[in-house]
């Protein structure tokens, strides 16, 4: 078993929460992703934060291309490892 993780970067909290809910339905994931706020360097305002969804994929069953398309639905992207 490997420690594969995918990170989806989303523009705001609402998009991140909506994407987190849709993940299980779309990809059949059992584990809820970690939702993290990623403030931009030097910014204190919550409006200037991106939100990250961190997904564990130890079995390597999630297709990176499908995750890319999924993140784009919320104006986001998948970070390359």
């Amino acid at each position: 078993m490997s420690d594969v993780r995918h990170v989806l970067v989303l523009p705001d909290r609402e998009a991140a929460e909506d994407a987190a809910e849709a993940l299980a339905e779309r990809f059949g994931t059992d584990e809820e992703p970690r939702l993290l706020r990623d403030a931009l360097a030097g910014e204190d305002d919550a409006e200037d934060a991106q939100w990250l969804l961190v997904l564990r994929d130890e079995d390597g069953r999630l297709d990176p291309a499908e995750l890319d398309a999924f993140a784009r639905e919320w104006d986001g992207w998948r970070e390359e490892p």
Side-chain angles (χ1 to χ4, degrees):
M1 191 169 11
S2 66
D3 186 26
V4 175
R5 294 176 194 263
H6 300 282
V7 177
L8 305 183
V9 181
L10 299 156
D12 57 45
R13 184 179 189 136
E14 183 178 349
E17 289 173 343
D18 290 347
E21 288 180 21
L23 271 168
E25 184 176 314
R26 175 85 57 92
F27 295 101
T29 57
D30 295 330
E31 184 177 326
E32 200 164 316
R34 288 182 49 205
L35 181 63
L36 304 168
R37 180 179 178 267
D38 183 34
L40 300 175
E43 298 294 336
D44 294 327
D45 189 353
E47 294 299 318
D48 294 323
Q50 295 172 328
W51 286 81
L52 309 177
L53 285 180
V54 180
L55 312 161
R56 286 186 9 194
D57 185 22
E58 290 147 354
D59 298 330
R61 65 179 196 83
L62 297 174
D63 179 9
E66 288 181 30
L67 288 172
D68 286 335
F70 178 80
R72 281 193 302 272
E73 292 177 25
W74 283 274
D75 297 322
W77 66 91
R78 184 184 58 86
E79 274 297 306
E80 289 291 333

